Amino acid sequence: MNQPSPTPEADASVNSEATVDAATDAITEATVDVTPAPATKPKPSYVKLAMRNMVRKRGTSLYHFALTTIGLLTALITLAYLTR
């Protein structure tokens, strides 16, 4: 009997599916064969960076510490005076 021949659109979809499958297989193989990069130095922690910064800018750190201490003492003394 007479079977209809496949349309060009149907043939193209079969070829594109095969291409997609081949590309997916290639990507999967490439990602499986990847070796880890050599270990680099870890970033210093936030505390380490803050301590290093305080040592470098000693005068600024002492100034801010003094301001904080004076402000806190003033607030506590004011509260004690108001609540007596």
Side-chain angles (χ1 to χ4, degrees), residues 45-58:
S45 70
Y46 177 77
V47 174
K48 259 188 191 173
L49 290 174
M51 295 297 281
R52 188 178 303 152
N53 196 26
M54 281 189 350
V55 169
R56 285 184 188 160
K57 299 178 180 183
R58 188 171 311 219

Side-chain angles (χ1 to χ4, degrees), residues 73-84:
L73 284 174
T74 302
L76 290 174
I77 291 171
T78 303
L79 282 172
Y81 177 76
L82 292 175
T83 58
R84 61 184 166 109

Side-chain angles (χ1 to χ4, degrees), residues 8-71:
E9 293 86 18
D11 192 33
S13 70
V14 170
N15 286 338
S16 68
E17 287 175 10
T19 306
V20 169
D21 288 340
T24 304
D25 290 341
I27 290 171
T28 304
E29 288 174 10
T31 55
V32 170
D33 295 337
V34 172
T35 58
T40 58
K41 270 189 165 179
K43 286 186 175 180
S45 70
Y46 177 77
V47 174
K48 259 188 191 173
L49 290 174
M51 295 297 281
R52 188 178 303 152
N53 196 26
M54 281 189 350
V55 169
R56 285 184 188 160
K57 299 178 180 183
R58 188 171 311 219
T60 304
S61 296
L62 291 174
Y63 176 70
H64 288 158
F65 178 74
L67 281 179
T68 303
T69 304
I70 291 170

